[in-house]
Amino acid sequence: MDIDKKPKTSDAQRRAIAKYDAENMTRYTVKYSNKIYTKVEKAMNDSGMNRNAWTVQAIREKLERDGYINDEN
């Protein structure tokens, strides 16, 4: 790798992203069986989505089905 290569984001952009994430996002870890993990990984790969996008979509769909959120929020 070329050590002179500039990063894709500037320091200011990284700080802005970190600030936004600190104010608006929450991280958490999910623990599930290897059997479920294998199925989730296959579903993610088949969808072409990355892990975060697939998980957020799956959670949102469940919340919508159960009436916790609707299209407006």
Side-chain angles (χ1 to χ4, degrees), residues 1 3 10-11 14 17-18 20 22 30 33 40 48-49 57 66 70:
M1 186 168 139
I3 58 174
S10 69
D11 287 339
R14 284 191 293 278
I17 291 166
Y20 177 87
V30 178
S33 72
V40 168
M49 298 171 78
Q57 180 177 324
D66 291 353
N70 56 41

Side-chain angles (χ1 to χ4, degrees), residues 12-64:
Q13 287 171 316
R14 284 191 293 278
R15 284 192 305 275
I17 291 166
K19 181 178 187 278
Y20 177 87
D21 285 353
E23 294 172 354
N24 298 288
M25 302 295 196
T26 300
R27 288 182 181 264
Y28 69 96
T29 301
V30 178
K31 180 178 168 182
Y32 37 69
S33 72
N34 290 335
K35 182 186 266 188
I36 296 295
Y37 175 80
T38 301
K39 293 178 187 300
V40 168
E41 287 292 305
K42 179 167 180 14
M44 283 187 286
N45 289 332
D46 290 351
S47 75
M49 298 171 78
N50 67 42
R51 181 174 285 119
N52 189 69
W54 189 90
T55 303
V56 169
Q57 180 177 324
I59 292 169
R60 178 173 270 293
E61 288 174 4
K62 172 69 171 153
L63 291 170
E64 288 173 352

